[in-house]
Amino acid sequence: MHPDKPHEIDIVKTPSSKINSVDFDTLSFGSTFTDHMLVCDFREGKWGKPVIKAYEPFLLDPSAKVFHYGQAIFEGMKAYKDEHDDVWLFRPDQNLDRFNKSAVRMAMPEVEDWIFLEGLRQLVDLERDWVKKGLGNTLYIRPFMIAVGSGVIAAPSTQYRFMIILSPAKSYYSGEVKVIIAEHFSRAANGGIGAAKAAGNYSAQFYPTKLANEKGFQQIIWTDDATHTKLEEAGTMNVFFRINDTLYTAPVSERILDGVTRKSLIALAQREGINVEERSVYVDEIIKAAKDGSLKEVFGAGTAAVVNPIVGFSYQDTYYELPKLDNSIALQLKDKLTKIQYNLAEDTFGWTVKV
Amino acid sequence: MHPDKPHEIDIVKTPSSKINSVDFDTLSFGSTFTDHMLVCDFREGKWGKPVIKAYEPFLLDPSAKVFHYGQAIFEGMKAYKDEHDDVWLFRPDQNLDRFNKSAVRMAMPEVEDWIFLEGLRQLVDLERDWVKKGLGNTLYIRPFMIAVGSGVIAAPSTQYRFMIILSPAKSYYSGEVKVIIAEHFSRAANGGIGAAKAAGNYSAQFYPTKLANEKGFQQIIWTDDATHTKLEEAGTMNVFFRINDTLYTAPVSERILDGVTRKSLIALAQREGINVEERSVYVDEIIKAAKDGSLKEVFGAGTAAVVNPIVGFSYQDTYYELPKLDNSIALQLKDKLTKIQYNLAEDTFGWTVKV
């Protein structure tokens, strides 16, 4: 970094944009990327100058640590455009904070705050035409860091690459979501990396999820690996249970991700006078509540999905269908959260940040 | 694959070798690679033709699944050169078998047997000058597979790359190895991916290992995550405990890797009339045995380290030093295994395969 120009980011614009070749009505989640990306390399114990440049493939050595030992973390965020063409980020400080917690757990360097936040702001600002107006349209933001140092000794890399890529998106899920409660497979260990957004946590879920898909379920609700009696989270979402008029969700822990949507929904619910309890939720009590009719709703919460109502779940080969409610708390909270994100309602929490 | 030429591998040799620039006396493990590598791509549901070509970096899209979701598995193997300049592999079928089990667990395609085995043979044959004579000198072999498909949706890739790279090596560890028994952190969950050689299992250990290193210990002996009472494995090794004249090692499970060195040592020990019990080993019994003097040896077993005697361990801030024995079973077994690997002793098991 030049001492007279701290926190400077190089911007090398592409000569032409591919935006006109993109059909924004038929986007498939996470498969279209904008013209530019941010790249910042960590070498010899320090971060170099971030560069915003053309989105393009890059070279890695076959022995790069990310291929062999999975040192890789990421975040998921979104940008939203309001009616006045202003672009908004939602609680980027929370993503930065979690990103650096993930980095520590994976023995990776923490990214400097300004590289993450200012890099994000300048990149999204440059790509603001890719953020389309209208509820459901977003620019999905993927900050990530990978170990790029070479060598097949099982030890942390000394070289890393931090990147931000952007993907225009419509809503993540479509159709009804049915889930299966895990009875054998697990997502995280006590003393493991479940609380980190580490790449390996996700591929570990692919096979059990594939088995669930084959049975007609879209996701798994994970249980604790020791006893499979506590409901923890879904693969890409935290999970809430409504019994009568109280919401229950598992407390964040070293097994459970500290979801930004999760904590925002809790704050919103509390403001609305809805009772929320963060405590262990047991399979037994949910089955009992499903049977006696007091289980009103189950829903996932995550950046990609925002709020995802679950229509039913399976446990020990029995399927429990959830009631169809006129007055869904899930949809109420989703509406309130979405309106804040799109600057359609006052943000009394100070969550949104204008780009 | 051409129907008339099944199982054909393309070989594109480099014009010149870098072998003369390598100092084989001062090799640092896993940091020098040979002239060639094997590459085979999986597209549209099938494996393409394998190619042996120059070892070199390759391009990946920033959204490649391996960066975001950690779909990556590997194996560790070695080639050995005997006095007659013959080159030997050790139980490659076992590595293939485990590789494909890892692939299934990580929702990746199984590699075809001939691509793995014949690819390995032809690559090592081409690079046989890189295998140096003399006990301790080996060619470390790293087969691996990564998800190369692009897109940041959390779902398995449809495109994969299988590669084999080779690294000349001297012995993996030097100096005395002290270990710490895990009391908080964990390596694997019940129903998790501990039995797979998945990349993410290794980076998950880096931070706890770093903390152990800072306290003067080289490795961690992992315990079960639910109770931390059972001794499971070390980060890159299975682990054996000798109480009086019996060896104990944890049974393989979904938490514990089915080590090739582990199972070979068990077979060797049994042939030598040494009693081996594969059963849960409890921290309590090891502490008790250390106190009463019946704990004679603790050693790690793995491809990189072969057999790694442990000089002492720490548990709950107490350090237990192991006796220095004239008649170490660990060293006896290491000697017998190594002699088979280097074709210095008869291989009654049929483990070795000539290249």
Side-chain angles (χ1 to χ4, degrees), chain B residues 22 88 96 101 135 176 202 231 259 273 284 288 298 304 321 351:
Chain B
V22 173
W88 299 86
L96 165 62
K101 283 182 181 154
L135 282 183
E176 297 193 325
Y202 293 81
L231 296 156
D284 276 0
K288 183 172 166 292
V298 180
E321 193 161 306
W351 286 338

Side-chain angles (χ1 to χ4, degrees), chain B residues 185-249:
Chain B
F185 290 110
S186 304
R187 181 187 168 277
N190 298 298
I193 61 168
K197 264 188 108 68
N201 283 338
Y202 293 81
S203 50
Q205 299 178 55
F206 289 167
Y207 175 69
T209 303
K210 191 170 72 168
L211 297 182
N213 294 162
E214 285 165 8
K215 290 183 178 174
F217 300 92
Q218 285 71 46
Q219 289 221 14
I220 294 169
I221 296 184
W222 296 104
T223 49
D224 67 295
D225 80 300
T227 65
H228 295 295
T229 59
K230 294 183 213 172
L231 296 156
E232 307 220 309
E233 64 166 282
T236 57
M237 312 187 288
N238 293 106
V239 63
F240 287 78
F241 302 87
R242 174 184 167 192
I243 299 178
N244 294 318
D245 288 325
T246 297
L247 294 179
Y248 299 88
T249 193

Side-chain angles (χ1 to χ4, degrees), chain A residues 98 179-182 185-188 193-197 201-202 205 219-224 230-241 249-259 262 281 299-302 310:
Chain A
R98 189 172 60 184
V179 299
I180 192 163
I181 294 176
F185 291 110
S186 304
R187 181 188 169 275
I193 60 169
K197 263 189 108 68
N201 283 339
Y202 294 81
Q205 300 178 55
Q219 288 222 14
I220 295 169
I221 295 185
W222 297 105
T223 48
D224 67 295
K230 293 183 215 173
L231 296 157
E232 307 220 309
E233 63 166 283
T236 55
M237 314 188 286
N238 294 106
V239 62
F240 287 77
F241 302 86
T249 191
V252 297
S253 72
E254 61 184 359
R255 291 194 309 268
I256 300 179
L257 204 73
D258 184 11
R262 174 190 177 280
V281 182
F299 57 96
I310 288 163

Side-chain angles (χ1 to χ4, degrees), chain B residues 51-85:
Chain B
V51 182
I52 291 173
K53 55 182 250 184
Y55 182 96
E56 61 186 4
F58 58 98
L59 285 167
L60 277 183
D61 192 84
S63 74
K65 298 260 187 187
V66 64
F67 298 146
H68 300 269
Y69 305 118
Q71 263 191 308
I73 59 171
F74 71 94
E75 278 297 319
M77 315 168 63
K78 283 178 175 172
Y80 311 85
K81 188 170 266 180
D82 71 14
E83 294 302 309
H84 314 290
D85 279 333

Side-chain angles (χ1 to χ4, degrees), chain B residues 250-263:
Chain B
V252 297
S253 72
E254 62 184 357
R255 290 195 310 268
I256 300 179
L257 205 72
D258 184 11
V260 179
T261 307
R262 175 190 177 281
K263 72 175 88 173

